Amino acid sequence: MDNRTNLTEYVHTIVQSCLQAGVVDVVISPGSRSTPLAYAFSQTTAFNKYMQIDERSAGFLALGIAKAKQKPVALLCTSGTAAANYFPAIVEAYYARIPLIVLTADRPHELRGVGAPQAIDQIQLYGNHVKWSVDFPLADGHMETLPYIERHMGRAIATAKTAPMGPVHINVPFREPLLLDFDYEIKPSTYQHSIVGTIMASPSSVKLVEDAIVQSSKGLLIVGEISGEFSKDDFWAFAKSIQWPVIADPLSQLRSDIPEDCRHLLIDQYDAVLKSDHFKKAVHPDVVIRFGTQPVSKPLSLYLKAIRPDIYITVDEDPAYRDSLGTVTQHIHSAPQVFWNEIKNSQQNETLSIWTNANVIATKHIESYIHTQQDEGAYAGMLFQKLTTGSDLIASSSMPIRDVDTFFNQTTKDIGIYANRGTNGIDGVVSTAFGIQLARKRPATLLIGDISFLHDVNGLLVSRFHETDLTIVVMNNDGGGIFSYLPQSTEERYFETLFGTPTGLTFESIAKMYNAEYFHVDSKDSFNNALETTKQTDLRIIEVKTNRQENVLSHRSLWDAIIEELDGQWKS
């Protein structure tokens, strides 16, 4: 068998193994050494193929697709620093539990460590930030090579899909020549890949949670972002049966599409109400049960750390559970939905009405603020109210996700909410948003700050290769707005240089370069006009000019007004 046939069979074994294991999406960046795999993916019509020139952006594009679908996405690049540019997205995927199948092309073994061009040490390149890594053999035509490839592709993809999900790395060396036999008859993989199941709770752990619920009179449910697909109907049936207040992080997907008879249970203004000392004393929980990650809110984290509940149960699919506060008393290694289907008992909750009333008070202040103020929070609130059912919202880290936490009120609309909170970085957000929109095929809106937008301007390249439907709302306060809320802001001598980092840049020229529809917003009227104007192009950029100092003062005045009313209501 000649070398071209060996290479052709080799790469199609990789590609067909992906298909057989359910991987149907691949993000490809151009490069010479990855030519054989790029051809094989392109020749196989069953794949959804996405092109992105910039590998750093490509990594986040794949992450966004996998985040939206909760299924593995293949990611392919050439050798050298191209592979290194995947690192930020892989780190985010690892901590956010997103399944990526990272395929890095490499030089053959004889060109490693000898000064060959575009050759770096790619073995275990991503260290402990992938769940598994393997360096494949060359396409040598040996009778054991292709069965080895099939087995290890199956192992890699099963590992990526097994809870907690995450990225895996497959390093694939190629020796020149790199061209394929395009007349080769593609043979589907017949290898029986692993079947990944759900982690089930033991009867004793179900009884532990059931007993805690039955014995509690001041229980509190907390729901953060949950990995994998789950039924909101099952959750709300569970919450309705036990009648506990539900603190729902925006990434829990529970703030939208809420059944009418459960709306009193959902507490979406916990970030604001937990700034009131008197309110916090009135609702001191005896049992806390958390599903998913710890929510974004810092006041909630400080509250839990201060009260240290006697019983704090987390339910998580990873035995290495997430407890940055050091307050969890029992961890249950299980899929959360097991408990929603098993437990339907409770006694009267003494604090539900207190939580509900406080939430109503805070919501009243929030809605008034959106109507009367003109800062980033008010603009964000306007945006959320204008979102249509059947659309998605993506938020950058720093202030955007915090404004979502504060100003996205519960709604019966069907709106998905997404953010990169594995490591809370501001890089790759534009690309993640494109990935989510391309995967879900629904109109999407990205809320992002100017610095985060600049971090991933190359992400806009995707709009040149694929049909998209994305609106980007850039809150341009000329710098890092989140730092103005932190103690660093009190040191005026160095603050602007080290943290504020004003660039003086605006984004109309960037919009023009990508043929994006552009709006400059400096008032609520012009923002309303931009949001209500029928979209004319696949990509729209709305730049909202705001002031960092005014944003801080306005947010703090809102919180002070809420605290004052809550303290007056529950002053002991």
Side-chain angles (χ1 to χ4, degrees), residues 37-99:
L37 270 173
Y39 277 149
F41 276 115
S42 297
Q43 202 176 354
T44 308
T45 58
F47 282 97
N48 302 314
K49 294 171 278 287
Y50 305 93
M51 291 300 303
Q52 170 54 279
I53 296 169
D54 184 313
E55 285 86 5
R56 181 166 125 163
S57 294
F60 283 101
L61 177 67
L63 182 142
I65 296 169
K67 180 190 287 283
K69 290 191 172 184
Q70 291 293 308
K71 293 179 180 178
V73 173
L75 184 58
L76 172 64
C77 73
T78 191
S79 64
T81 56
N85 277 297
Y86 282 162
F87 212 154
I90 288 170
V91 171
E92 172 65 24
Y94 182 79
Y95 288 103
R97 303 179 180 181
I98 306 297

Side-chain angles (χ1 to χ4, degrees), residues 198-202 205-206 291 315 334-343:
T198 300
I199 298 173
M200 304 300 289
S202 65
S205 63
V206 173
F291 301 106
V315 181
S334 170
Q337 49 266 39
V338 172
F339 294 86
W340 307 342
N341 297 325
E342 292 283 341
I343 298 171

Side-chain angles (χ1 to χ4, degrees), residues 268-391:
D268 51 8
Q269 294 302 330
Y270 54 87
D271 187 81
V273 301
L274 287 174
K275 291 179 171 71
S276 164
D277 291 335
H278 294 292
F279 169 77
K280 286 187 288 189
K281 290 177 183 177
V283 295
H284 192 120
D286 52 6
V287 175
V288 174
I289 300 175
R290 192 187 84 215
F291 301 106
T293 63
Q294 176 67 25
V296 171
S297 169
K298 188 171 183 179
L300 174 61
S301 295
L302 293 173
Y303 177 58
L304 293 171
K305 192 165 185 177
I307 64 171
R308 305 190 74 84
D310 291 336
I311 299 177
Y312 187 172
I313 300 170
T314 56
V315 181
D316 197 309
E317 292 184 321
D318 187 353
Y321 60 96
R322 295 168 284 199
D323 180 26
S324 60
L325 307 177
T327 53
V328 172
T329 60
Q330 288 104 358
H331 170 67
I332 297 173
H333 182 204
S334 170
Q337 49 266 39
V338 172
F339 294 86
W340 307 342
N341 297 325
E342 292 283 341
I343 298 171
K344 306 292 180 186
N345 300 307
S346 182
Q347 65 180 31
Q348 185 175 358
N349 191 299
E350 296 176 10
T351 61
L352 174 58
S353 62
I354 302 175
W355 276 104
T356 301
N357 290 338
N359 205 64
V360 169
I361 290 170
T363 300
K364 175 192 67 176
H365 283 276
I366 294 292
E367 290 179 347
S368 173
Y369 185 90
I370 294 171
H371 181 69
T372 60
Q373 298 300 310
Q374 187 162 307
D375 77 326
E376 286 184 17
Y379 281 123
M382 277 184 67
L383 170 65
F384 305 151
Q385 291 174 353
K386 294 285 184 181
L387 293 175
T388 58
T389 192
S391 65

